[in-house]
Amino acid sequence: MQRRTFLKSTAALGAASMLPWKSSPSTAQTADPPTDDWLQAAIDEASQLGAGHAEALYLAQRRQSTQIRKEDVYSITDSDEAGITLRVRFGSFIGTASVPSAQRGSPKDLARRAVESARLQGGLLKQDERLKASELFGRLDTLPRVPLDVIRDVWQPEGVEDPFLTDLGERIDFLKNLNRTALKITQIPYAVSNQFLNRRRSIFVDSLGNRKEQEQFATYVNFAVTAFHQQKRRMDTRTSEREAQATGWAGATANMQSELETAMQEVLRTQQADPVTPDTYDLVIHPTMLWNLFLETLLPHFDARQLLRLDGRSSGERWITLSNLGERPLRSEALVLNWDTVLPGGLASCRWDDTGKRTSSFIPFLDRTGIVQNIPVSPDLVAYDQSYSLGFPGFDFSRASAWHTPATMAMPNMVLQGGRDGKNLDDLIAGVDNGIFVKGRGTVLTNPAKSLFRVRPQAAWAIRGGKIAEMLRDVEIETSTAQFWNALEEAGRKEDTFLGGELFPQRAYPLWDTPFSIATPPALFRRIPVYRTEGQS
Amino acid sequence: MMTRNECEALLAIAVQSSDVDEVFATLNATDSCSRSIAGRLLLPPHRMRNTEITVTVRKGRRYAMASGNVYDETSVRDLVARAGRHAQFMPEAPEIIPFPGTVDSAESPMYREMDISRGVDGFERALETFLVEPSFDGMRVFGSATSASSSLALASSGGLFLYQPSSLANAHLRCFSDDGMSTGFSERYAVNPADLDLREVLESSARGCGQWRNPSDIKPGRITTVFEPRALADLLRPLLQQFSRRAIEQDQSFLRRLDGTSFLGTKLFHESVNFRSDPFDARVPSMPFTSEGQSVHAEDWVSNGVIAQLVTDRYDARKSASAEVAPPTNLIMDAAAPVSDIVASTEYGLLVRGFANLNILDPKNCLLSGSTRDGVFLIENGKITKPVKNLVLRETPVYLLKEILAMGHAELTSTTGSYFPMLLPSIRVKDVMFTQLSGLV
């Protein structure tokens, strides 16, 4: 059966029913998605031009952000982009081409341009043969082959409503109310709140007959309140703790007023608190802070391209290298990491990645023995995104950061596993005689090699005799990344896991182009150097 | 590439909307092809075509924006309607200044006909050199080459329509030694892709990497320094942004006197310093209008060391009843008496090729700080004698331009990582402040 005939024969999965968003005019986008026929025509044309494999990814992304300063709308940004990227393979050569959805023109043109790109690649035949023999390419042959099933699927996250369905006016009123509540307190002269909404719709079609359609949402609502102490001339800011998640408006804003009340109380108490006495302390770290420390200090060391020295950056102090795979770079047995691309609420969660591969949960990454089991990447960096179509499973995760960017390796959601003893936060605190409990996302400063860092938590309390005591201010943690993570003695229970996440991860690190989440429980770290900041927190 | 008529027709749909009081619309249409290499792996080439429109609307005293990669009439109308809906939530502006109306502006010579996919053809040949020639053994190269043609058009409901086609080929390549302890970088831009010698870019990057092996320690302090054009470009870019009446008013410029007035007409730099900009200069053609619809004319910004001109935006021009002066879109710094070989005429000092980053520590005197990168060398008796480790510069370009000892011949360059065409010389400056070793490779 021809692919085209196959598609036409599956009438039950016709275009209308395959496009769940078509029925919601309030969320209409700037251009209609291409029909299956259009995508298939591009793939057929590429095949006729000699491509061994072709895949088309239609991607539409709507983004909106709003900032409220005090009681006024300060800014609204709104963008809506959609387009199609076609990727073709001729033997070992890959070519890609992109067109905007609204200006897509003829599918033959797109196919011709993608093929033309692949032919450009073909000019390097001799080099490519050498590359195939290289160490990285050679590893592909060690992977087991798996049978390929042709799958047609439509997926949406269960129970998550499109945040754009909530009226913008209603969302602005909600943010204004947050600020009004804070500004009622005389000592809080400034409040700001933000909302960021993302919607991502994709259709993946390939020459094997696969068709995978998905819709994902991300909502991030946050606030910051600033308190000023007139007599002590102190200014302190506390931000909301919840982070971006794959959820709708209702999920992102539930109980936010109560969170605001807590933040206001904490920032006011911080103003009255005494500074910390510099020393070495046992630290109980709340997950609202821990996830960000993990993101900024440890995760960059596991970045696959950095491990493989393909990041184009200085090697500097490469603390964990490829040779650590199967070895033990970290001593802590409590540091157990998995990656999970179906994590509920996870920003990188989906059913299919952008090259049509099935996502999965709990791929071991760093086990209890501290041994690096896996890295989130296929070892083949040329055909990494084609391994599936070649018949190899691949354990990578590929995403496109924009419609005009071909899908490439992407960071999955990361999960720091809960402790085996099932201790809650109070239990962890009870295990500390003289220490500090810290929480809230702080600004993490690192050296370029990420081997040293400094962070100021948003809120801190003394722990004495296993109990929370008075609040402290001017707390600054400064240590080496290795020392810090080796000092992890115990992770709390998984029920207390908090989902942090990077909605805008576009930093200078490789792989960090698309949103991903990090789930961490609270954790206990022993003997960490704590300093007192000179200025204000 | 979209033609003038195509752009005008599409933008007319936006600016003729009757739902709002005023509309300002920007259209950016691009067709590009890029090639990348990571280590010794050549990544797939990518062709991309896009048209993006951003509309800003005024409804009463409220302004709002929306953007999308739209192309058809319905979508453009939807975009304007969306911005109009957003406007109702925005606070009222204290003052209404109409969007710009008709402006006279000619097209700059920024466009050459080219076959996009062939624009970076030389990449393969250059990389073949890299992969085959023994002189490149022990090196990895990272970077990309891109060729693109674009059309930028602006229109307003007040009658403005501006259009500029452009073509640009660029390559930036960074070589690393296999042990990762040495690096070299090279970046080139060309309006005409035929002028971009990719092999030269590669060789320059590899040469830099080879020359910077095993750098020596050097004691930081005040050291006479030769800055190559790209390093100077990175130093001048923040300085140039302070040539602005708005920045002076907000106390964010070295050009503000203590009494709040400007140093316009005052000699602040060495008399050999002349800054000029001209979007129609064929050596460094650049945009003849700004994204706000201001026409960019040839201007002298510094004449014989004297501050000669300041940027005046539409708002400041209206407030002070003076003429608008658009910010420069290129920079030309010609030396009246260039030194043929600036290194040969240096008895002792440093040669700095570039910076990793430069941050503004204090805008009031344009104090910058950042690490050198991509080549720092010791000059002794007119010769480069050895590579030295990267240093942290803590200096203001105001001082550098005041204490210039010599200038070389001007070369085409740009700020690192973004295209801002400049024609700059190498300069030698006495007693430049380096505070510490940066530890950067």
Side-chain angles (χ1 to χ4, degrees):
Chain A
M1 181 187 284
Q2 295 291 316
R3 297 286 164 225
R4 196 177 179 85
T5 320
F6 169 77
L7 284 175
K8 284 182 175 171
S9 68
T10 53
L13 296 171
S17 62
M18 295 289 277
L19 300 173
W21 56 82
K22 275 211 158 178
S23 58
S24 50
S26 62
T27 63
Q29 56 205 53
T30 50
D32 288 335
T35 62
D36 280 6
D37 278 350
W38 196 98
L39 293 174
Q40 193 59 44
I43 285 170
D44 289 347
E45 177 70 12
S47 299
Q48 280 172 20
L49 290 170
H53 178 78
E55 56 190 38
L57 180 72
Y58 162 76
L59 185 62
Q61 296 194 88
R62 172 95 190 266
R63 297 186 177 93
Q64 192 183 74
S65 70
T66 307
Q67 183 172 88
I68 315 290
R69 294 185 181 180
K70 292 192 168 180
E71 295 193 38
D72 287 327
V73 176
Y74 180 74
S75 66
I76 301 173
T77 65
D78 196 329
S79 72
D80 197 349
E81 293 205 337
I84 305 143
T85 291
L86 181 70
R87 177 163 16 208
V88 300
R89 179 171 53 76
F90 281 71
S92 299
F93 312 130
I94 298 168
T96 58
S98 301
V99 284
S101 188
Q103 201 182 348
R104 54 183 173 258
S106 136
K108 289 188 175 183
D109 284 346
L110 178 65
R112 200 161 47 243
R113 288 197 292 126
V115 168
E116 189 181 80
S117 285
R119 283 181 178 150
L120 276 175
Q121 180 86 338
L124 276 179
L125 180 63
K126 287 180 184 173
Q127 287 75 4
D128 188 71
E129 285 171 347
R130 269 197 293 279
L131 296 175
K132 281 173 85 171
S134 72
E135 177 194 359
L136 294 172
F137 227 115
R139 289 181 183 207
L140 190 64
D141 296 332
T142 66
L143 295 171
R145 285 181 176 273
V146 292
L148 295 172
D149 296 322
V150 173
I151 296 170
R152 299 171 61 76
D153 185 41
V154 178
W155 180 83
Q156 281 180 300
E158 207 171 313
V160 177
E161 190 180 62
D162 184 347
F164 286 94
L165 290 174
T166 305
D167 180 65
L168 175 61
E170 190 182 320
R171 286 184 265 131
I172 286 173
D173 285 344
F174 178 86
L175 298 177
K176 282 184 173 175
N177 276 333
L178 287 177
N179 290 7
R180 267 188 218 116
T181 304
L183 293 169
K184 280 180 192 161
I185 308 295
T186 318
Q187 297 97 314
I188 298 181
Y190 191 70
V192 61
S193 53
N194 297 282
Q195 59 142 4
F196 302 91
L197 310 186
N198 280 13
R199 181 180 60 213
R200 187 183 202 275
R201 292 166 169 168
S202 65
I203 303 172
F204 172 87
V205 179
D206 68 11
S207 53
L208 299 171
N210 291 290
R211 186 189 190 283
K212 290 146 185 177
E213 180 179 332
Q214 300 186 103
E215 188 169 41
Q216 294 159 266
F217 310 108
T219 309
Y220 183 25
V221 179
N222 65 25
F223 61 79
V225 290
T226 301
F228 184 65
H229 196 295
Q230 194 76 30
Q231 288 170 324
K232 296 182 178 177
R233 311 297 294 170
R234 280 178 178 169
M235 193 162 72
D236 293 281
T237 297
R238 187 84 169 91
T239 62
S240 49
E241 293 182 340
R242 74 182 64 191
E243 300 291 340
Q245 292 190 19
T247 185
W249 179 255
T253 54
N255 303 319
M256 201 146 219
Q257 279 287 348
S258 138
E259 192 180 315
L260 174 65
E261 297 288 345
T262 306
M264 287 159 54
Q265 286 170 17
E266 285 178 0
V267 76
L268 293 172
R269 281 188 206 142
T270 301
Q271 297 237 291
Q272 303 289 346
D274 289 326
V276 68
T277 304
D279 203 344
T280 300
Y281 292 94
D282 294 341
L283 294 184
V284 175
I285 301 185
H286 195 267
T288 52
M289 180 178 173
L290 188 60
W291 81 267
N292 193 40
L293 275 179
F294 174 75
L295 172 84
E296 300 284 358
T297 66
L298 190 58
L299 194 54
H301 293 280
F302 288 113
D303 188 286
R305 285 189 204 169
Q306 182 165 316
L307 284 171
L308 296 166
R309 295 196 297 155
L310 290 171
D311 53 354
R313 302 191 142 253
S314 146
S315 59
E317 301 168 52
R318 284 188 197 276
W319 169 53
I320 299 175
T321 67
L322 198 58
S323 62
N324 292 124
L325 289 175
E327 292 182 2
R328 186 175 179 176
L330 291 162
R331 288 195 302 274
S332 173
E333 291 186 10
L335 187 62
V336 181
L337 298 168
N338 296 314
W339 60 286
D340 186 337
T341 43
V342 294
L343 184 71
L347 295 171
S349 295
C350 48
R351 182 175 282 171
W352 309 100
D353 84 351
D354 287 341
T355 58
K357 284 187 293 295
R358 180 79 192 221
T359 54
S360 54
S361 64
F362 295 105
I363 304 294
F365 177 62
L366 192 69
D367 72 7
R368 284 188 195 285
T369 62
I371 292 175
V372 179
Q373 295 290 338
N374 212 333
I375 51 172
V377 59
S378 157
D380 171 13
L381 292 177
V382 170
Y384 58 87
D385 44 8
Q386 298 292 305
S387 57
Y388 183 83
S389 65
L390 288 167
F392 296 104
F395 39 86
D396 59 316
F397 175 64
S398 298
R399 299 274 271 184
S401 58
W403 65 264
H404 51 76
T405 309
T408 185
M409 288 181 295
M411 188 63 79
N413 303 312
M414 301 294 300
V415 180
L416 174 58
Q417 202 70 354
R420 280 178 293 190
D421 298 338
K423 288 187 179 176
N424 64 19
L425 184 61
D426 289 340
D427 296 333
L428 292 176
I429 289 169
V432 174
D433 189 43
N434 177 30
I436 300 176
F437 169 54
V438 288
K439 71 185 258 196
R441 184 179 188 172
T443 304
V444 184
L445 300 174
T446 66
N447 63 339
K450 306 279 174 197
S451 57
L452 302 169
F453 74 90
R454 179 193 298 169
V455 61
R456 297 176 185 179
Q458 288 200 22
W461 289 260
I463 304 173
R464 273 193 288 279
K467 294 209 164 103
I468 291 279
E470 76 279 1
M471 248 186 134
L472 298 168
R473 61 179 288 117
D474 298 345
V475 172
E476 184 168 78
I477 300 161
E478 186 173 337
T479 184
S480 79
T481 303
Q483 181 187 358
F484 179 77
W485 288 101
N486 280 329
L488 170 61
E489 182 176 283
E490 200 167 8
R493 60 180 185 176
K494 72 172 181 183
E495 290 81 357
D496 292 339
T497 293
F498 172 85
L499 194 60
E502 265 290 39
L503 189 58
F504 314 105
Q506 295 186 340
R507 306 187 203 188
Y509 311 130
L511 298 188
W512 296 28
D513 284 338
T514 54
F516 61 95
S517 291
I518 294 172
T520 54
L524 168 61
F525 292 76
R526 294 291 186 189
R527 299 191 58 73
I528 302 294
V530 172
Y531 299 88
R532 175 180 165 181
T533 59
E534 289 293 320
Q536 295 158 332
S537 296
Chain B
M1 197 191 68
M2 284 180 73
T3 63
R4 169 183 283 269
N5 287 343
E6 287 171 332
C7 290
E8 194 161 14
L10 200 56
L11 288 182
I13 299 165
V15 300
Q16 286 168 6
S17 169
S18 56
D19 298 339
V20 292
D21 297 318
E22 272 195 287
V23 183
F24 181 80
T26 307
L27 181 153
N28 196 347
T30 309
D31 192 359
S32 68
C33 181
S34 61
R35 315 292 317 270
S36 302
I37 184 166
R40 298 181 77 82
L41 304 175
L42 187 64
L43 303 177
H46 183 60
R47 284 291 307 269
M48 198 267 277
R49 197 177 68 198
N50 192 23
T51 301
E52 181 157 15
I53 294 181
T54 300
V55 294
T56 307
V57 303
R58 181 177 69 78
K59 212 170 178 178
R61 303 179 71 89
R62 302 169 200 272
Y63 292 84
M65 294 170 71
S67 66
N69 65 337
V70 298
Y71 191 69
D72 60 284
E73 185 173 337
T74 311
S75 302
V76 175
R77 288 191 200 287
D78 284 350
L79 204 60
V80 177
R82 184 185 292 175
R85 281 198 299 277
H86 293 168
Q88 66 180 299
F89 300 112
M90 298 301 292
E92 291 193 342
E95 187 183 5
I96 294 172
I97 297 179
F99 292 130
T102 310
V103 168
D104 287 331
S105 179
E107 284 182 20
S108 168
M110 294 178 70
Y111 178 71
R112 301 283 188 287
E113 281 284 351
M114 66 170 166
D115 177 343
I116 290 294
S117 64
R118 300 294 158 204
V120 288
D121 259 3
F123 203 50
E124 284 83 15
R125 288 191 294 277
L127 291 172
E128 192 168 358
T129 305
F130 174 78
L131 293 166
V132 171
E133 287 188 7
S135 58
F136 297 113
D137 280 353
M139 285 187 197
R140 291 158 176 256
V141 65
F142 299 82
S144 64
T146 303
S147 59
S149 67
S150 306
S151 304
L152 179 67
L154 311 182
S156 78
S157 46
L160 175 81
F161 180 74
L162 294 168
Y163 171 81
Q164 175 64 50
S166 63
S167 57
L168 187 68
N170 87 293
H172 55 95
L173 292 173
R174 175 177 296 287
C175 270
F176 276 100
S177 58
D178 266 347
D179 63 4
M181 298 311 289
S182 181
T183 180
F185 179 75
S186 186
E187 186 173 44
R188 301 281 188 276
Y189 294 89
V191 169
N192 186 352
D195 294 340
L196 188 68
D197 184 346
L198 286 157
R199 183 183 165 109
E200 187 273 325
V201 181
L202 176 68
E203 285 177 345
S204 167
S205 169
R207 197 166 48 244
C209 180
Q211 288 170 343
W212 201 69
R213 295 292 296 170
N214 304 315
S216 305
D217 279 325
I218 187 167
K219 190 179 173 190
R222 289 208 169 271
I223 308 170
T224 295
T225 304
V226 173
F227 294 100
E228 288 197 347
R230 189 167 65 83
L232 182 59
D234 287 345
L235 287 163
L236 293 186
R237 191 77 175 100
L239 183 93
L240 216 53
Q241 287 166 347
Q242 295 196 351
F243 277 67
S244 150
R245 289 188 193 278
R246 176 66 59 91
I248 292 166
E249 187 187 313
Q250 294 174 346
D251 202 7
Q252 299 288 304
S253 171
F254 74 99
L255 290 169
R256 179 184 165 110
R257 292 177 189 268
L258 288 175
D259 64 3
T261 59
S262 78
F263 278 107
L264 186 65
T266 308
K267 184 170 179 290
L268 287 188
F269 304 141
H270 192 275
E271 61 192 13
S272 63
V273 174
N274 291 288
F275 286 174
R276 198 159 50 82
S277 67
D278 181 0
F280 302 98
D281 188 310
R283 297 170 298 173
V284 276
S286 62
M287 287 304 296
F289 53 84
T290 68
S291 58
E292 292 183 346
Q294 271 185 295
S295 197
V296 178
H297 303 289
E299 301 282 358
D300 286 316
W301 300 93
V302 177
S303 291
N304 301 323
V306 177
I307 307 300
Q309 186 58 284
L310 296 171
V311 171
T312 309
D313 63 26
R314 292 197 308 125
Y315 305 94
D316 286 335
R318 185 181 166 105
K319 203 166 64 181
S320 59
S322 53
E324 290 181 23
V325 180
T329 50
N330 62 6
L331 183 68
I332 301 160
M333 183 182 175
D334 282 325
V339 177
S340 59
D341 188 340
I342 200 164
V343 170
S345 60
T346 304
E347 194 177 327
Y348 180 87
L350 290 177
L351 173 69
V352 173
R353 290 194 168 147
F355 294 96
N357 57 337
L358 280 173
N359 300 314
I360 298 178
L361 293 183
D362 184 356
K364 290 177 186 174
N365 56 8
C366 201
L367 180 63
L368 307 177
S369 179
S371 174
T372 59
R373 203 183 184 195
D374 310 321
V376 193
F377 301 92
L378 189 66
I379 306 170
E380 292 172 297
N381 299 320
K383 286 188 178 153
I384 294 172
T385 52
K386 59 182 176 185
V388 294
K389 289 182 179 170
N390 280 312
L391 294 146
V392 175
L393 173 104
R394 186 188 169 94
E395 195 57 273
T396 167
V398 180
Y399 170 82
L400 305 180
L401 295 173
K402 198 175 175 184
E403 300 297 337
I404 283 182
L405 297 173
M407 282 195 244
H409 288 282
E411 294 173 20
L412 184 62
T413 188
S414 172
T415 45
T416 308
S418 63
Y419 183 55
F420 187 88
M422 294 183 175
L423 207 56
L424 299 180
S426 295
I427 61 168
R428 183 170 70 235
V429 183
K430 70 175 181 185
D431 296 342
V432 178
M433 188 64 194
F434 294 97
T435 54
Q436 61 192 49
L437 296 175
S438 70
L440 205 67
V441 173

